[in-house]
């Protein structure tokens, strides 16, 4: 039989430090999966060049998956096992504004989608890209101060003719949508365990692999110019309480 493509990968929390309402999850828009089974080999030598006996000792079973669909609950259930909160922290990048020509030379931020202003991420000039310096009060030219969601500038930085002359970046909270992973510093050993199921099918022929117990070892998130974010999820498998490690099923 032959198999083709990345297959379908599932993870379902089964023990350890599980998050609330642990749920079986599919790794969405799966790119590739690798499973590596490797054993330590000990060779017995006498006086001759080749070993007279070879024995296998410890066996290590690990894997990794790359997937494009990002889901906060899946990451929490399979990697962190902590508290999944509600609400989203959004970021507005380089939002254009005009410093008014009349006192008090302020710009009040109104986040999109009825959001609440959360924190300042900096101000810069549109024309030059040079950042302004944040100060506590009484900003000079090239400076700004902040109180709540109100940015205050110097009269020398007012826009000419009301044309946008500054770019403001900030973060804001959205209470009605999204999720948040509230990660705290736990004791060593704190982690969820989960089962892994890799299902492949080609021309009606299937090969499926079940790992009875696994723990996540790495979550890698990399951004790239002109490409999608493809997180990488690594895991190590081990025997469950019944001594089960791995099942491999195939039509042949």
């Amino acid at each position: 039989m032959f198999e083709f493509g990345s297959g379908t990968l599932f993870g379902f929390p089964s023990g350890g430090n599980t998050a609330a309402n642990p749920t079986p999850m599919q790794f969405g828009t799966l790119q590739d999966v690798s499973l590596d089974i490797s054993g330590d080999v000990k060779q017995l030598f006498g006086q001759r060049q080749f070993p007279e006996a070879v024995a296998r000792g410890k066996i290590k079973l690990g894997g990794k998956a790359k997937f494009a669909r990002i889901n906060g609950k899946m990451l929490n259930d399979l990697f962190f096992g902590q508290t999944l909160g509600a609400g989203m922290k959004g970021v507005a990048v380089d939002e254009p504004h005009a410093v008014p020509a009349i006192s008090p030379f302020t710009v009040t931020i109104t986040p999109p989608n009825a959001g609440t202003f959360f924190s300042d991420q900096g101000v810069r000039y549109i024309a030059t890209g040079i950042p302004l310096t944040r100060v506590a009060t009484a900003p000079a030219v090239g400076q700004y101060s902040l109180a709540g969601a109100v940015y205050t500038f110097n009269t020398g930085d007012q826009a000419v003719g009301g044309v946008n002359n500054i770019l403001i970046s900030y973060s804001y909270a959205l209470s009605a949508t999204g999720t948040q992973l509230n990660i705290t510093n736990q004791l060593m050993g704190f982690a969820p365990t989960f089962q892994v199921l890799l299902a492949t099918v080609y021309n009606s022929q299937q090969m499926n692999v079940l790992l009875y117990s696994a723990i996540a070892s790495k979550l890698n998130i990399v951004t790239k110019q002109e490409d999608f974010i493809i997180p990488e999820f690594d895991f190590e498998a081990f025997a469950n309480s019944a001594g089960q490690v791995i099942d491999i099923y195939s039509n042949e």
Side-chain angles (χ1 to χ4, degrees):
M1 60 179 283
F2 300 98
E3 291 298 315
F4 184 82
S6 61
T8 306
L9 188 69
F10 301 90
F12 25 110
S14 57
N17 301 105
T18 55
N21 303 314
T23 304
M25 290 281 186
Q26 179 179 332
F27 288 72
T29 316
L30 190 65
Q31 302 298 295
D32 58 72
V33 179
S34 64
L35 296 176
D36 182 34
I37 306 174
S38 59
D40 293 340
V41 174
K42 180 65 69 173
Q43 299 168 323
L44 176 64
F45 286 90
Q47 293 173 302
R48 302 185 184 275
Q49 293 180 349
F50 290 95
E52 298 180 14
V54 178
R56 188 173 65 199
K58 299 186 295 294
I59 297 179
K60 179 180 178 182
L61 172 57
K64 66 174 58 179
K66 294 181 180 179
F67 56 100
R69 185 169 293 278
I70 300 170
N71 181 280
K73 179 168 176 56
M74 187 190 79
L75 297 180
N76 189 54
D77 281 8
L78 300 184
F79 194 95
F80 297 103
Q82 296 197 30
T83 302
L84 185 69
M88 171 71 183
K89 290 292 190 302
V91 178
V93 179
D94 289 343
E95 189 175 273
H97 290 274
V99 177
I102 58 175
S103 180
F105 312 110
T106 59
V107 172
T108 301
I109 296 298
T110 304
N113 301 315
T116 303
F117 183 86
F118 184 71
S119 66
D120 172 41
Q121 303 299 330
V123 182
R124 61 194 183 102
Y125 291 115
I126 288 180
T128 64
I130 296 175
L132 283 72
T133 300
R134 179 172 165 177
V135 296
T137 58
V141 173
Q143 298 179 339
Y144 70 97
S145 62
L146 179 65
V150 180
Y151 287 78
T152 300
F153 299 90
N154 184 273
T155 179
D157 280 321
Q158 62 184 265
V160 177
V163 178
N164 292 329
N165 67 329
I166 57 169
L167 300 170
I168 300 178
S169 297
Y170 60 92
S171 57
Y172 56 95
L174 292 169
S175 58
T177 60
T179 59
Q180 51 183 290
L181 278 67
N182 307 122
I183 308 305
T184 57
N185 196 11
Q186 301 292 329
L187 292 173
M188 292 284 188
F190 184 99
T193 59
F194 52 93
Q195 292 187 349
V196 177
L197 174 62
L198 174 62
T200 65
V201 59
Y202 175 65
N203 288 339
S204 300
Q205 300 294 307
Q206 289 196 29
M207 185 189 74
N208 303 321
V209 180
L210 174 65
L211 308 181
Y212 281 91
S213 195
I215 189 169
S217 58
K218 185 174 76 170
L219 176 62
N220 188 26
I221 300 176
V222 178
T223 64
K224 191 180 298 184
Q225 183 78 330
E226 294 190 6
D227 205 351
F228 291 96
I229 294 177
I230 309 290
E232 183 175 305
F233 184 90
D234 292 13
F235 52 89
E236 300 285 339
F238 55 98
N240 65 9
S241 58
Q244 297 167 299
V245 180
I246 181 172
D247 288 347
I248 301 176
Y249 309 95
S250 67
N251 288 123
E252 291 186 5

